[in-house]
Amino acid sequence: MASFSNIGAICKVPSAPSLSSSSSRALFPTTLRSFSHSQVSRSRSCRLCIRSSYAEAVRGNPNSDAIDVVADVKTERIVVIGGSGFVGSAICKAAVSEGIEVISLSRSGRPSNSNPWVDQVTWITGDVFYANWDEILIGATAVVSTLGGFGSDEQMLRINGEANVVAVNAAKEYGIPKFILISVHDYNLPSFLLQSGYFTGKRKAESEVLSKFPSSGVVLRPAFIYGKRKVDGFEIPLDLIGEPLEKLLRATESFTKPLNSLPASDLVLAPPVSVDDVAYAVINAVKDDDCFGVLTIDQIKEAAAGVKV
């Protein structure tokens, strides 16, 4: 089973500035993947030119009414599990802005807000344990899971672990090329504290992603995620705390670095991550075939910057 600290990521972000990371990185082999004709084409961008056969037949006739049709075609179709939640909705919004077709599967279905991007997402109400994957995964090029939650150890193992495992296995069975999991930073916690249902479930899900999608699976490990979060109709401005805290911790990083080796030090020292950075790091992973493995906090920022530019 994969640990919470010994796996690195390869993520090609040519436009992004390089950010330092204190985490060790073990790179997966850069092996090109191939898929059978029955699997989904993964070309990342194209402009499809369609010329009618009638136009070819009357090419020499200047009086013909032949029309050449040029159309932009979306080459990505992602399924976001938990798409109506805090992180999931940010991913859906970012994907729409990048011209990606989006399907969301969540128990709450379509969110109540009236933002224009919401109308461009296909909202499916359902439970991952009883999902009709035949309809949901058809034509998908990637699955993104934001599943996670708190509760009793049993509940956390089920939602953080088992639910994600079900989704990973479904994606694998239906030949989806890539799976992206939103996990969590380990905060440099002692191993006995990582035995809770929350971290054990996350670790189980990570292991499933990296074993079933060894050269295309992506795991994001952000720390505290901030942004404007809506709960029961009320907006909680987590960015009022998270954004200045992130700036402070990054500004003092060179001074606090010697403390990083202390157990649980990252509970205080790990920089928070903007929900938009998490979302755009996911978009980077969706678009980039060379991006796989585990993304640390700094790598999430780097990947997001590569898309935002």
Side-chain angles (χ1 to χ4, degrees):
M1 181 175 290
S3 73
F4 261 58
S5 60
N6 65 352
I7 301 175
I10 296 177
C11 197
K12 182 179 178 184
V13 281
S15 301
S18 176
L19 295 177
S20 61
S21 172
S22 58
S23 302
S24 60
R25 296 177 64 180
L27 300 182
F28 287 98
T30 54
T31 306
L32 292 176
R33 303 186 301 286
S34 60
F35 298 93
S36 67
H37 63 84
S38 63
Q39 291 177 296
V40 180
S41 170
R42 303 280 321 273
S43 62
R44 292 303 169 198
S45 61
C46 73
R47 184 170 177 83
L48 178 63
C49 180
I50 307 170
R51 184 180 298 274
S52 70
S53 58
Y54 177 71
E56 295 294 339
V58 297
R59 183 189 297 274
N61 183 357
N63 296 319
S64 70
D65 294 324
I67 299 174
D68 291 338
V69 179
V70 178
D72 287 317
V73 178
K74 292 180 180 179
T75 60
E76 299 291 351
R77 188 175 198 259
I78 67 171
V79 174
V80 181
I81 302 176
S84 58
F86 174 50
V87 176
S89 60
I91 293 170
C92 291
K93 180 181 178 181
V96 167
S97 73
E98 293 294 314
I100 297 172
E101 186 178 355
V102 184
I103 298 92
S104 165
L105 170 67
S106 66
R107 287 184 294 179
S108 57
R110 182 188 175 100
S112 58
N113 70 69
S114 57
N115 293 321
W117 66 267
V118 173
D119 294 329
Q120 299 184 56
V121 175
T122 300
W123 302 98
I124 298 175
T125 303
D127 190 308
V128 68
F129 289 105
Y130 310 104
N132 187 346
W133 298 113
D134 285 327
E135 296 179 1
I136 296 168
L137 295 179
I138 185 170
T141 56
V143 173
V144 182
S145 177
T146 68
L147 293 177
F150 295 95
S152 67
D153 268 5
E154 183 180 355
Q155 290 170 329
M156 291 188 292
L157 280 170
R158 181 171 171 80
I159 188 63
N160 296 338
E162 294 171 18
N164 280 309
V165 169
V166 167
V168 172
N169 287 326
K172 181 67 176 179
E173 180 182 350
Y174 283 85
I176 309 305
K178 176 165 282 194
F179 197 101
I180 302 167
L181 173 72
I182 308 300
S183 188
V184 64
H185 184 59
D186 68 1
Y187 295 99
N188 203 22
L189 292 172
S191 58
F192 72 91
L193 291 179
L194 295 174
Q195 301 307 310
S196 69
Y198 183 83
F199 285 104
T200 300
K202 290 287 189 181
R203 187 182 299 155
K204 182 177 181 179
E206 287 191 6
S207 178
E208 198 72 10
V209 171
L210 298 174
S211 63
K212 294 294 173 63
F213 295 85
S215 58
S216 64
V218 181
V219 173
L220 277 69
R221 290 180 180 169
F224 170 68
I225 301 175
Y226 67 84
K228 290 181 171 57
R229 182 168 192 164
K230 289 188 176 181
V231 179
D232 296 329
F234 294 95
E235 187 173 85
I236 304 175
L238 298 175
D239 50 330
L240 294 182
I241 299 173
E243 188 172 3
L245 182 58
E246 179 186 12
K247 290 179 179 178
L248 174 63
L249 289 173
R250 291 202 175 277
T252 59
E253 203 169 28
S254 58
F255 301 102
T256 60
K257 194 171 183 179
L259 302 175
N260 288 344
S261 59
L262 296 177
S265 59
D266 277 359
L267 285 172
V268 176
L269 300 178
V273 182
S274 162
V275 70
D276 291 331
D277 282 340
V278 173
Y280 280 103
V282 168
I283 301 307
N284 185 300
V286 168
K287 290 185 172 184
D288 185 1
D289 286 347
D290 295 325
C291 184
F292 58 93
V294 175
L295 271 63
T296 63
I297 296 171
D298 284 345
Q299 290 166 337
I300 291 170
K301 293 284 290 185
E302 184 178 357
V307 177
K308 286 180 175 181
V309 172

